[in-house]
Amino acid sequence: MSDTVKARPREDSGASLRALMTGERWIEVGRIVLTGAVALLYWQQLAPIYILWIAVAIGLYPLVKTGLIDLFTERKIGTEIFVTIATLVAVFGGETVAGAVLMVIILIAEFIAELNTERARASIRALIGSVPQTAIVRENGKERTVPIAELKVGEVVLVRTGEKIPVDGLVLSGTASVNQAPITGESVPQDKVNGAQVFAGTIVEAGALDIRTETVGGDTIFSRIIALVENAEAEQAPVQKLADKVASWLIPAVFIFLIVVFLMTRDVSKIVTLMIFTSPAELGLATPIVMIASIARAARSGILIKGGLYLELLARADAMVFDKTGTLTANKPQVVRIQSLDAAWSEADVLRLAAAADRRSAHPLAKAVVDAAADRTIVVPEPKSYEQVQGRGVRATVEGKTVLVGNPALLRESGVALTEAVEDAGRTPVHVAVDGACVGVIYIADTLRPGAREALAALRASGVKRIVMLTGDNAATAKAIATGLGVDEVKADLMPEDKVSAITELQRQGYRVAMIGDGVNDAPALARADIGIAMGGGGTQAALEAADIALMTDDLGKIVAARNIARRAYRTIQENLWVGVGVVHVLGITAALMGWIGPIQAAFIHLGPDILVFVNSVKMLRVKIPGA
């Protein structure tokens, strides 16, 4: 059994390589082998020169085609044109074998680059998993297997032990332990019972479930994750754009340099050698593979990064802004105390009317009030009218009475006098007013999210200079939550637009700001920050769309993991540019100018930085990164 397990990675790797070797790639391999073989035969005087010219023409065809397309569609001189000119200069300048060998080496480098890039893209699906193409539908007491494309919303799907769930839906019956790692990155399986949400692509490790289909195919969370990660390549990081820009102006500069050298030396061999080491090919390879591999690595950990742009911004962010409720706290508030301020109203009466006003609200504090009434078996009436007041609370008509439930600002703006200041550190006071008089206060407490202190400490250790907490809650509660977290600044009593202003002020001070929120209520602040991170994206379309990065769980450690992945990717790109491109090419150009090496040696040496860049980039899929 041990041998089987050990052999599996090699088998998977071989299968993956076979899948990547399409018909077009085999043609490319044939072209490389043909050109190399003819060059060898010519060198051994076993083939005439016109056969070598034909082989060179066949080898150059894809380079010339790509180069001309770039020249006429994007108005840029690419590496392909550069290599074509270098090969022709060598062939017609008397260095025929060197030109052929140069072209073969470049074709091999291009082939390896394309294969590794495609391999990194393919790893996105391999790392996340795949969705089954058929499902067992249970209908009228019978079971039938149908293709996923034919499934309809509302149909009941049966999933047994060891099978992947094919749809997003709700559990109708059964119990099971489900591995949600493909979606959330969680290593511990989750127990699923009646009414639980399940996702396509996750695995039933034990038990069986009947699932009512809610979304199928491209509408599932899994499919949206795949689409987001695959499309992330289009969002280029600034360093990637810079590399492309440098490559575009470097080629004309190199041509001028080569002309000057030729006019001074009249040495075609030296020019060909220099052309090999002045090729900007590695500049174009230094960043894309790193970005693709890093985004795939993050997706495996339940972190959706929508492009290389956001990867670099996260790596360079030096200020982190956290929303309090649902981000730093567990978002499971509970009523811990009820205070009556009017002898005519008992604590139960205050809670009853507040719950009636709040029962249509989706706010976590409102839900806590309604749950508290249910726990006390209080019969809660239905409100006749209801109004949600943004950032303040609710206004409702209950049993003919006007009821206000919310913060002090709601009562003041409605003309209700507050006779005393209410303070209870660490607890949020919810004021209740009836017909213009404040009759009571309900105190609600939320717990700090597990791992919050450790996560903020790790972020600070990674180079974050400023950590700020924003909340619409009162200052006393906010400061109590922030105590011991290592937060530099607390801003309380904020409306949504105030959170935007707070981020703008940090940016004005020169900080690169990352905002972490729930992806729904904090959408304006997430959009205003340099980079927006939404927590708890599993199951919510809004969270996937609102932020630049979406965490599929509410684990604050995922923010640390995302930051570590981003910083490692940025460092890897710098290594590629400075070592794989800069140092090797400077040494090569020096050796060529001094006459220490010729075209053939240069062509073989040129493979060095290519392989170095590839290996250094693809390691992002495997290298150990804290939290990922």
Side-chain angles (χ1 to χ4, degrees):
M1 182 175 178
S2 175
D3 292 340
T4 302
V5 172
K6 287 180 181 177
R8 191 169 298 147
R10 289 193 294 269
E11 292 171 5
D12 292 345
S13 178
S16 174
L17 187 59
R18 286 194 297 271
L20 291 174
M21 288 304 294
T22 61
E24 287 186 5
R25 290 201 174 93
W26 280 116
I27 291 174
E28 189 63 29
V29 170
R31 182 182 287 113
I32 293 170
V33 171
L34 172 66
T35 308
V38 172
L40 179 63
L41 290 172
Y42 175 78
W43 183 46
Q44 295 294 321
Q45 299 181 346
L46 296 175
I49 192 168
Y50 70 87
I51 296 294
L52 179 60
W53 288 346
I54 293 172
V56 169
I58 293 172
L60 282 178
Y61 170 73
L63 298 176
V64 173
K65 180 182 176 182
T66 303
L68 291 176
I69 290 173
D70 287 346
L71 182 63
F72 290 108
T73 59
E74 299 182 27
R75 297 289 188 270
K76 73 173 185 179
I77 300 175
T79 304
E80 292 78 10
I81 291 290
F82 191 90
V83 172
T84 300
I85 294 173
T87 302
L88 294 176
V89 167
V91 170
F92 294 107
E95 296 286 345
T96 310
V97 175
V101 171
L102 163 63
M103 187 192 62
V104 170
I105 296 297
I106 296 298
L107 286 174
I108 291 172
E110 293 271 330
F111 179 77
I112 294 173
E114 183 184 347
L115 197 64
N116 276 280
T117 303
E118 194 58 38
R119 191 176 177 186
R121 290 192 186 109
S123 69
I124 292 170
R125 276 194 169 87
L127 290 172
I128 298 174
S130 61
V131 175
Q133 297 305 303
T134 60
I136 300 173
V137 174
R138 179 170 284 176
E139 189 176 24
N140 299 325
K142 298 181 179 179
E143 297 175 4
R144 58 189 176 91
T145 301
V146 300
I148 289 294
E150 296 179 12
L151 271 178
K152 296 181 179 63
V153 173
E155 288 187 315
V156 178
V157 173
L158 170 63
V159 187
R160 303 184 181 95
T161 299
E163 296 177 346
K164 287 188 177 181
I165 297 174
V167 298
D168 286 358
L170 291 176
V171 176
L172 282 183
S173 62
T175 59
S177 178
V178 178
N179 181 352
Q180 297 192 144
I183 297 291
T184 66
E186 295 170 302
S187 58
V188 179
Q190 304 294 307
D191 293 331
K192 299 294 182 180
V193 296
N194 291 3
Q197 178 84 46
V198 292
F199 303 109
T202 56
I203 305 160
V204 175
E205 294 197 342
L209 298 172
D210 284 343
I211 302 166
R212 187 180 68 230
T213 302
E214 291 189 333
T215 56
V216 296
D219 295 327
T220 63
I221 290 289
F222 181 86
S223 295
R224 294 206 299 270
I225 290 173
I226 292 289
L228 283 172
V229 176
E230 288 184 334
N231 293 335
E233 195 178 346
E235 292 288 348
Q236 287 189 328
V239 68
Q240 189 172 347
K241 291 180 180 178
L242 177 62
D244 291 344
K245 188 174 182 179
V246 168
S248 67
W249 63 255
L250 184 61
I251 291 174
V254 164
F255 277 131
I256 294 172
F257 167 70
L258 293 174
I259 290 170
V260 171
V261 172
F262 178 73
L263 292 174
M264 294 176 64
T265 65
R266 304 289 177 174
D267 187 340
V268 174
S269 177
K270 188 180 296 263
I271 296 301
V272 174
T273 305
L274 284 170
M275 290 188 84
I276 294 170
F277 282 114
T278 51
S279 166
E282 290 79 11
L283 276 176
L285 301 174
T287 56
I289 300 178
V290 178
M291 293 302 180
I292 296 167
S294 301
I295 290 167
R297 175 68 179 271
R300 181 177 65 181
S301 300
I303 303 165
L304 302 186
I305 301 175
K306 296 185 180 178
L309 167 64
Y310 310 115
L311 201 65
E312 182 174 342
L313 288 173
L314 179 59
R316 299 174 65 190
D318 54 5
M320 292 275 187
V321 177
F322 290 85
D323 180 59
K324 178 182 78 69
T325 305
T327 304
L328 293 176
T329 61
N331 201 21
K332 295 180 180 177
Q334 293 179 325
V335 172
V336 293
R337 179 185 166 206
I338 303 171
Q339 178 184 6
S340 173
L341 301 178
D342 189 325
W345 296 89
S346 67
E347 292 180 2
D349 293 333
V350 171
L351 181 59
R352 177 175 175 271
L353 287 180
D358 272 339
R359 65 184 303 169
R360 295 184 184 177
S361 174
H363 196 282
L365 297 185
K367 187 176 184 301
V369 171
V370 174
D371 288 346
D375 292 342
R376 292 165 173 77
T377 64
I378 296 174
V379 178
V380 178
E382 182 71 25
K384 186 176 180 181
S385 65
Y386 168 84
E387 179 189 357
Q388 181 87 35
V389 183
Q390 182 71 21
R392 295 291 187 260
V394 300
R395 180 183 291 110
T397 302
V398 182
E399 297 178 338
K401 299 178 177 63
T402 300
V403 180
L404 301 175
V405 182
N407 57 25
L410 174 66
L411 273 64
R412 293 193 191 97
E413 292 169 5
S414 300
V416 178
L418 294 175
T419 56
E420 56 183 287
V422 176
E423 290 290 341
D424 196 339
R427 300 174 180 180
T428 302
V430 175
H431 294 72
V432 182
V434 178
D435 289 336
C438 185
V439 300
V441 181
I442 299 173
Y443 294 92
I444 298 175
D446 199 356
T447 57
L448 200 62
R449 187 175 293 283
R453 291 184 180 88
E454 294 78 4
L456 266 60
L459 288 171
R460 193 176 292 281
S462 74
V464 176
K465 298 176 182 176
R466 192 165 186 79
I467 297 177
V468 180
M469 186 178 82
L470 306 180
T471 180
D473 215 336
N474 66 80
T477 301
K479 288 178 181 177
I481 291 291
T483 300
L485 275 179
V487 174
D488 297 307
E489 185 179 2
V490 176
K491 292 182 179 289
D493 296 310
L494 300 180
M495 295 286 284
E497 57 268 25
D498 298 327
K499 294 180 181 180
V500 174
S501 299
I503 290 172
T504 303
E505 176 60 23
L506 283 170
Q507 291 170 328
R508 191 184 64 78
Q509 294 172 17
Y511 288 104
R512 291 181 288 268
V513 182
M515 168 71 191
I516 300 95
D518 61 15
V520 181
N521 298 325
D522 302 312
L526 290 171
R528 184 66 187 87
D530 295 289
I531 182 165
I533 304 173
M535 289 186 61
T540 64
Q541 175 71 18
L544 288 172
E545 293 178 349
D548 307 314
I549 296 176
L551 310 182
M552 302 309 291
T553 66
D554 289 322
D555 181 4
L556 282 168
K558 296 295 184 184
I559 298 174
V560 180
R563 168 86 167 176
N564 289 338
I565 290 171
R567 295 181 74 225
R568 185 58 180 260
Y570 195 54
R571 192 177 82 192
T572 301
I573 290 170
Q574 290 176 320
E575 291 169 355
N576 287 348
L577 290 173
W578 289 106
V579 180
V581 179
V583 173
V584 175
H585 280 237
V586 168
L587 292 176
I589 291 170
T590 302
L593 288 172
M594 298 300 292
W596 296 339
I597 59 174
I600 294 179
Q601 298 97 316
F604 280 102
I605 294 172
H606 185 269
L607 270 178
D610 285 345
I611 294 172
L612 185 63
V613 166
F614 301 148
V615 171
N616 198 42
S617 300
V618 175
K619 77 177 183 184
M620 284 298 301
L621 291 170
R622 304 288 182 187
V623 71
K624 186 176 180 180
I625 298 175

